Amino acid sequence: MSEQPAEFSMPTPGGFQDPERSGLSADDLFAGITEHLFFTLGKLAPSATRHDLYMALSYAVRDRLMTRYLAGKEALNEHPAKSVAYLSAEFLIGPQLGNNLLMLGIEKEAAEALHRFNGTTLDDVREVEEEPGLGNGGLGRLAACYMESLASLEVPAVGYGIRYEFGIFDQLIRDGWQVEITDKWLKGGWPWELTHPDQAVFVGFGGRTEGYTDEHGRYRSRWIPAEHAIGIPHDIPVLGYKVNTCDRLRLWRATATESFDFYAFNIGDYYGAVEEKVGSETLSKVLYPNDGTDEGRRLRLKQQHFFVSCSLQDMLRNLEQRKIPVTEFPQHWAVQLNDTHPAIAVAELMRLLIDDKNLDWDLAWDITSRSLAYTNHTLLPEALEKWGLPLFSSLLPRHLELIFEINRRFLQQVRLKHPGDDAILRKLSIIDEEGQKAVRMAHLATVGSHHVNGVAKLHSDLVKSSLMPEFAQLWPEKFTNVTNGVTPRRWMGLCNPQLRGLLDEVIGQNWLHNLDELKQLERFQDDSGFLERWDQTKLESKRQLASYIHRHTSVLVDPASLFDVQVKRIHEYKRQHLNALQVIAQYLRIKNGQGDGLAPRTVIFGGKAAPGYYMAKLIIRFINGIAETVNSDPDMDGRLRVVFLPDYNVKLGERVYPASDLSEQISTAGKEASGTGNMKFAMNGALTVGTLDGANVEIREQVGAENFFLFGKTTPEIEALRKSGYRPWELLEELPELQDVLHLVEQGHFSNGDTELFRPLVDNLRGQDPFFVFADFEAYLKAQDEVSSAWANRQHWNRMSLLNSARTGYFSSDRSVREYCDGIWKASAVPVKVTCQSNP
C-alpha cells in the first residue's frame, strides 16, 4: 500500500491547538479530569462517583483526540486523496475508553491520574462504561475492526451507519429462558460523539414521480416524496494505533422536519401534535426491527434508505465544499457496501447524480459502478434480502423506476451473451419474478459494483460456484476474496494484558503494529520454562473469568480445568445444540463409570438469539437445563461444569477470549461465511475443534493441521448427503451413544421431568436435522476424545497453544484492509504530522 506524504503543522495558539488539552502525562490527565468534573459535569472531586470519573477521563481523552482529528481533516483538504466510505447497518465498536488509551499509549498515565482520586483504579472506571449496542454480532464487529485498521494504516476513511437509540437488546436469563430488555446505552450520557446539526440532510420517502422535459429537451422524472426525515450526523473519532490519523464513524440520527404541530395541539389532538416527530425518530430508534410484520419490513427498508441517502449526500456535499467536480467522485470516494443492507446505494447514487446533478444515464452509471463495491457475508439464501414490489414502490417509487431501467439494460447485456436462454435471465434478473415479485438486493449490489468479495477462501469459492454462479461466469474479473481479520490491538493488546506483557518482553513491542512478528514465538516452542510462563498467563486470565462467572451466575468453576468455549450468536447452523448433546454424552460417560481419560472441563456458552427465533431460544433453554442438572450433581464435581454467560457482548468477549483453552467452531460445513471469533480465540492461544467451514480452513492451514482438532463432513459431502435424501432417523439407529443421549432428554432429565419442553428440538433433529447434527455427532465425539488426550500432556498442549498464537499474524485486520486498499479501493495512506505533540 503506497503512501502519499502529507504533513499538517498545527497552528499557533489561538487556533485549535491547546497545549493544556493535548498533554499526555499523568499530570496533564489529572488536570483534564479535574477540569471536566468541575466545568462539564458540575462535580467536585471528593463527591465524584466512578461514573463521574469515567465521564471526566473520557472527555479528557477525547480532548487529546481532537488535535489529531482536526489535523487529519486539514491534511486531506491540503492533499486530496481517495477516502474509504464504509457503509454498514452495524458497527459493534465496544467500549471506547480502554481502546483510546491504548491507541494513545497512555494507559499507565491514566491509571496514575485516576489513582489520585481516592485510589480509584482504571479497571474500576472501565467497569461502569456502557457499551454501544450498535450491532448484532460478527458483521458489526468486523466493521469496527476495519475502521480501526484503516486509521492505524493511516488511510482516510469514514464509517457510515445509524445511531440507534436502542441497540441490540440486553439479555437476561430467567428460568433458563432468554428474556430481552431494552439496551439503554445512552442513559448515562456518552462522551465520545460530536454532534453536527449544521450538517443535517433531508431524506424523502413515499409519494409519486412525474415526468417532465428539461431545458435541453430531455425527458426526465421528478420524485415528489410524501414525507421527509432529517438526518443529523454524530461523529465518533477513530484513532489509529500510535499514529496521528484519526478517522471518524459518522452515525445518523433521524428527526422530523417539524417537531410540533401547534394547530393539532390547540384543537386537542395531542398525539397528532407530535406524530411526525415520533414517526421520523423511529427510523433511528432500534437496531433491526422485527421484519415478521409488514410494518417491521417497511421500517427496516426505510432505515436502510435513510442512512444510505444521508451518507451519499454527505459525500457529494464534501466534494462540492472542496470544489471538486462530481464527475471525479470515484477518484475521491471508495464506497464499500457491507452486506446487502446498504445495497439501495446503487439506486440512490444514480438518483442523486441524474435527478439532482443532472448527469445523463451513461455518465451516472459509470460513476456509480466505479465507486461501489460489495461484500457478501452469507451463504444462507434466506439472509439475502428481497423487498416485495408493492412495499418498494410505495416507499421508494423513483428508486424502483431506476432499478427497472438498470435491470432492463443489464438483461440486454445478458441476452447478447446468452441468446434465447430465458432460464439464465430469470436467475440473473434483479427482479425476482417467482411468486410475489421482489427486488433482489444482492443482485442489485452485484450489478452496480466493480468488485464483489467473499470473506474467506471457501466462502468466496462457494459464492462463485453455488450462490451466484451465473454472475461469476458473466463477470469473473469482478469476484474476489478478502479473508476477514480482527484487530490485534483490542483482541490481544487491550483484552489480554498478561499475554501482552509477556510478548513485549520476549519479542519487543512492535507486534501490535505488525502481527506477523508473532512468528518469533516459534523459537520458544520447545522451551519448557517459557511454556510454563505461557501457561501461567493463561491461568491468570482463567482465574479472572472464573471470578466473573461466580459473581454473575453463582457457579463455581475450577480455573485449572479445560475451559471449553462456544460464544457466538445462537443459530441452528452454528450448532450450539451439537455441543450441548456431546456435553450430555460426557455426562453419561461419567455417570456410567466410563469417564477415565476425560479432561476435567468447564463448558462455557454465550450468545443471543433473535427475539423471533423460537428454535434458537429453545437451544438456550436446553443449555441452561443441562447446566442446572450437571452443576447440581455431586458426581460431576471436579469433572464437568456447564455455564451459560448472559448478555454476551464485546465487553464480555474481552474477558472470555484470553481465558479460553478450546474454541468451538462447529458450524455445518458450507454455512459459515468466515467467522471472526475463531481468529480471536487462536490469537490468544486457544486450540480449535472445528469443521472445514469458513475461515477455519485457513486457520488450520496457518497453525498446522497437527494443532487443530478437525472433524465433520466437508461441504461436498454435506451436499451429497442432501441430494441423496438425508434420513437422520435411519442414521440414529447406528449411533447408540446418541440414542442414549436423546432418551435422557426425552425423559425430562434436563427439564425437571417435563417430557414436552424439548420435544420440538428433538423432533426437528430426528425428522429433518437441517444442519446435519446427527451426521457429524460421532466424529465430533471422537475429536473431543482427542482433546482430552492432548490436555493430559500439558507441555504438549502449551506448545500447541503457543504455535496457534505464533501463526495467526495472517488474521490481523491490517492485512485484510491492505488487501481491500490494494485490490478493490485503490486507496493509499495519508500520514498526518502533528508538530505540537507526539505520541509517547
Side-chain angles (χ1 to χ4, degrees):
M1 194 173 66
S2 60
E3 293 187 352
Q4 297 177 0
E7 294 186 2
F8 175 67
S9 298
M10 299 296 293
T12 56
F16 55 79
Q17 175 190 358
D18 184 350
E20 292 184 2
R21 292 194 174 200
S22 59
L24 301 175
S25 71
D27 288 342
D28 293 323
L29 291 173
F30 176 77
I33 295 169
T34 304
E35 177 184 343
H36 280 293
L37 280 174
F38 192 90
F39 290 106
T40 308
L41 302 176
K43 298 287 181 74
L44 294 173
S47 62
T49 65
R50 286 194 302 165
H51 187 266
D52 294 334
L53 289 170
Y54 156 70
M55 293 290 286
L57 175 58
S58 297
Y59 280 124
V61 171
R62 195 186 77 175
D63 290 343
R64 275 92 191 137
L65 301 185
M66 286 303 97
T67 299
R68 295 156 178 80
Y69 176 77
L70 294 171
K73 294 177 76 171
E74 289 299 317
L76 198 59
N77 286 336
E78 291 186 6
H79 300 269
K82 182 179 281 191
S83 295
V84 175
Y86 199 85
L87 271 61
S88 179
E90 301 183 32
F91 283 97
L92 201 58
I93 59 177
Q96 293 294 286
L97 176 59
N99 197 66
N100 282 321
L101 292 174
L102 176 66
M103 295 295 157
L104 287 167
I106 56 171
E107 292 165 293
K108 290 179 181 178
E109 290 79 3
E112 183 183 332
L114 280 174
H115 188 72
R116 301 179 194 178
F117 295 91
N118 296 320
T120 302
T121 69
L122 186 54
D123 285 343
D124 290 336
V125 168
R126 289 184 60 199
E127 186 66 28
V128 302
E129 183 173 8
E130 281 286 339
E131 175 178 330
L134 304 176
N136 186 40
L139 184 80
R141 186 53 234 170
L142 180 77
C145 283
Y146 281 178
M147 287 303 301
E148 192 259 56
S149 279
L150 280 160
S152 293
L153 295 173
E154 303 180 283
V155 178
V158 183
Y160 284 109
I162 299 177
R163 182 185 180 269
Y164 303 102
E165 183 178 344
F166 305 115
I168 184 69
F169 59 87
D170 289 339
Q171 180 194 58
L172 299 179
I173 301 297
R174 290 180 183 158
D175 300 322
W177 291 98
Q178 170 180 291
V179 176
E180 303 95 23
I181 61 172
T182 305
D183 170 28
K184 300 176 182 177
W185 65 280
L186 289 167
K187 66 179 182 292
W190 202 60
W192 299 104
E193 63 184 357
L194 302 163
T195 307
H196 295 288
D198 58 310
Q199 297 176 33
V201 296
F202 283 80
V203 180
F205 303 98
R208 70 185 195 279
T209 62
E210 60 181 26
Y212 71 99
T213 303
D214 68 13
E215 64 273 18
H216 302 293
R218 296 175 299 188
Y219 177 81
R220 290 192 173 272
S221 184
R222 177 189 294 120
W223 181 24
I224 305 172
E227 58 177 300
H228 287 87
I230 297 175
I232 297 177
H234 293 247
D235 287 356
I236 302 163
V238 180
L239 183 64
Y241 180 62
K242 293 189 177 181
V243 295
N244 291 315
T245 297
C246 189
D247 290 330
R248 62 188 164 132
L249 187 57
R250 171 156 280 197
L251 304 179
W252 299 96
R253 172 174 61 88
T255 189
T257 53
E258 189 64 53
S259 296
F260 192 81
D261 185 338
F262 275 100
Y263 176 76
F265 183 82
N266 287 335
I267 64 172
D269 184 3
Y270 303 125
Y271 174 74
V274 295
E275 183 176 8
E276 183 178 350
K277 173 180 170 65
V278 171
S280 294
E281 292 182 358
T282 299
L283 284 171
S284 55
K285 279 287 182 190
V286 65
L287 170 74
Y288 292 158
N290 183 0
D291 60 0
T293 65
D294 289 343
E295 283 305 308
R297 284 189 290 273
R298 185 177 184 85
L299 177 55
R300 188 178 286 205
L301 180 55
K302 287 183 77 171
Q303 281 186 334
Q304 293 178 4
H305 172 61
F306 166 72
F307 96 84
V308 166
S309 180
C310 287
S311 304
L312 290 171
Q313 289 185 62
D314 191 56
M315 292 176 228
L316 289 167
R317 177 175 56 194
N318 175 271
L319 294 186
E320 187 175 339
Q321 289 171 344
R322 292 193 284 159
K323 296 181 171 52
I324 296 171
V326 68
T327 52
E328 294 182 17
F329 188 97
Q331 284 78 48
H332 293 273
W333 287 105
V335 184
Q336 189 68 32
L337 310 179
N338 193 30
D339 215 355
T340 54
H341 310 119
I344 191 63
V346 177
E348 174 64 359
L349 185 52
M350 286 293 288
R351 185 191 71 81
L352 291 168
L353 294 174
I354 292 172
D355 295 358
D356 291 5
K357 303 299 181 183
N358 296 313
L359 301 186
D360 63 36
W361 181 278
D362 290 339
L363 180 55
W365 184 250
D366 178 68
I367 292 170
T368 298
S369 58
R370 287 196 294 125
S371 302
L372 304 181
Y374 161 52
T375 300
N376 174 278
H377 281 279
T378 184
L379 293 167
L380 302 177
E382 64 270 21
L384 295 176
E385 289 184 306
K386 294 195 296 186
W387 299 109
L389 293 194
L391 168 63
F392 207 99
S393 62
S394 69
L395 198 58
L396 301 170
R398 176 59 177 144
H399 298 74
L400 189 58
E401 286 182 353
L402 291 164
I403 289 169
F404 282 151
E405 181 61 16
I406 292 168
N407 196 46
R408 184 189 71 79
R409 292 174 180 238
F410 164 61
L411 291 182
Q412 190 58 32
Q413 294 179 40
V414 177
R415 286 189 186 96
L416 291 175
K417 289 199 172 186
H418 302 277
D421 191 341
D422 290 341
I424 200 167
L425 291 177
R426 285 193 297 271
K427 287 180 180 178
L428 290 173
S429 175
I430 297 170
I431 307 300
D432 184 358
E433 304 284 352
E434 303 293 329
Q436 185 193 47
K437 293 184 179 181
V439 180
R440 298 193 273 208
M441 301 308 284
H443 285 47
L444 177 62
T446 301
V447 172
S449 297
H450 55 81
H451 279 86
V452 177
N453 73 279
V455 290
K457 287 180 182 176
L458 175 63
H459 170 240
S460 295
D461 288 344
L462 291 172
V463 167
K464 290 187 288 186
S465 64
S466 301
L467 191 68
M468 295 181 167
E470 295 82 12
F471 278 109
Q473 291 166 14
L474 186 67
W475 293 312
E477 72 287 352
K478 185 178 282 197
F479 286 79
T480 188
N481 173 65
V482 180
T483 298
N484 284 347
V486 300
T487 170
R489 270 76 63 177
R490 182 179 290 272
W491 296 116
M492 293 183 76
L494 179 63
C495 75
N496 200 340
Q498 292 85 9
L499 181 59
R500 192 208 327 175
L502 180 61
L503 295 177
D504 286 352
E505 176 190 334
V506 299
I507 65 173
Q509 298 183 9
N510 196 50
W511 62 274
L512 280 176
H513 278 291
N514 177 11
L515 202 61
D516 286 333
E517 295 199 8
L518 290 181
K519 287 185 181 295
Q520 296 180 58
L521 288 172
E522 293 199 33
R523 69 177 186 265
F524 298 104
Q525 60 182 292
D526 297 315
D527 183 334
S528 58
F530 183 81
L531 292 176
E532 178 61 28
R533 293 183 66 190
W534 183 267
D535 189 49
Q536 288 303 308
T537 64
K538 176 70 71 174
L539 183 59
E540 179 56 32
S541 296
K542 291 169 71 176
R543 288 187 180 122
Q544 292 175 13
L545 181 58
S547 176
Y548 178 92
I549 289 170
H550 185 241
R551 291 198 310 272
H552 289 82
T553 70
S554 300
V555 178
L556 283 169
V557 302
D558 180 6
S561 64
L562 186 152
F563 276 21
D564 177 352
V565 184
Q566 188 176 18
V567 287
K568 54 183 71 220
R569 182 165 51 92
I570 309 296
H571 197 291
E572 288 171 275
Y573 88 82
K574 295 179 184 287
R575 300 202 295 190
Q576 284 91 351
H577 47 339
L578 172 60
N579 191 356
L581 291 172
Q582 76 87 18
V583 170
I584 297 174
Q586 308 291 4
Y587 168 79
L588 275 173
R589 287 177 177 181
I590 296 170
K591 293 294 287 184
N592 294 332
Q594 300 170 349
D596 291 347
L598 295 181
R601 293 194 194 217
T602 297
V603 184
I604 300 170
F605 294 88
K608 298 177 181 179
Y613 189 175
Y614 172 74
M615 193 61 75
K617 296 175 88 167
L618 186 61
I619 288 171
I620 292 176
R621 178 64 183 87
F622 185 43
I623 292 166
N624 282 304
I626 295 168
E628 183 181 352
T629 301
V630 167
N631 297 342
S632 61
D633 189 331
D635 292 343
M636 300 299 115
D637 290 349
R639 309 292 300 275
L640 185 62
R641 281 287 180 269
V642 181
V643 175
F644 188 92
L645 289 173
D647 202 32
Y648 184 74
N649 55 17
V650 173
K651 198 172 183 178
L652 184 48
E654 291 174 0
R655 295 179 182 273
V656 169
Y657 292 115
S660 301
D661 294 306
L662 185 68
S663 163
E664 298 273 353
Q665 306 299 329
I666 59 176
S667 54
T668 311
K671 292 298 182 183
E672 187 74 81
S674 171
T676 50
N678 46 9
M679 303 169 187
K680 297 164 195 169
F681 279 114
M683 283 180 177
N684 285 281
L687 276 60
T688 302
V689 56
T691 54
L692 284 177
D693 194 31
N696 289 355
V697 177
E698 289 154 274
I699 290 175
R700 184 169 177 263
E701 289 173 357
Q702 293 289 326
V703 306
E706 69 280 8
N707 301 310
F708 187 106
F709 300 103
L710 178 67
F711 79 95
K713 299 195 178 298
T714 63
T715 302
E717 289 170 342
I718 290 288
E719 191 57 32
L721 259 182
R722 182 181 285 110
K723 287 181 178 177
S724 66
Y726 177 51
R727 297 177 180 83
W729 60 92
E730 292 180 0
L731 181 60
L732 183 60
E733 295 175 6
E734 303 169 13
L735 301 170
E737 196 163 6
L738 181 56
Q739 291 176 34
D740 292 343
V741 167
L742 294 179
H743 180 64
L744 208 59
V745 175
E746 290 173 312
Q747 282 184 322
H749 191 75
F750 304 103
S751 50
N752 296 313
D754 184 345
T755 58
E756 295 299 314
L757 180 59
F758 300 126
R759 183 174 297 280
L761 182 60
V762 175
D763 286 352
N764 177 260
L765 289 171
R766 266 210 181 95
Q768 296 175 288
D769 192 15
F771 297 101
F772 299 90
V773 169
F774 285 7
D776 279 347
F777 181 80
E778 193 170 37
Y780 183 45
L781 269 188
K782 183 180 178 183
Q784 293 290 4
D785 290 341
E786 293 170 4
V787 169
S788 288
S789 297
W791 181 257
N793 183 343
R794 293 308 302 282
Q795 180 159 332
H796 179 60
W797 181 280
N798 291 334
R799 181 179 183 273
M800 296 167 72
S801 169
L802 175 82
L803 291 175
N804 266 264
S805 284
R807 296 170 178 175
T808 51
Y810 178 77
F811 300 105
S812 169
S813 50
D814 293 352
R815 186 269 313 155
S816 304
V817 165
R818 285 191 188 98
E819 290 183 8
Y820 275 107
C821 285
D822 293 342
I824 297 177
W825 300 332
K826 309 302 180 186
S828 302
V830 180
V832 177
K833 184 176 180 181
V834 179
T835 58
C836 74
Q837 181 69 49
S838 61
N839 288 325

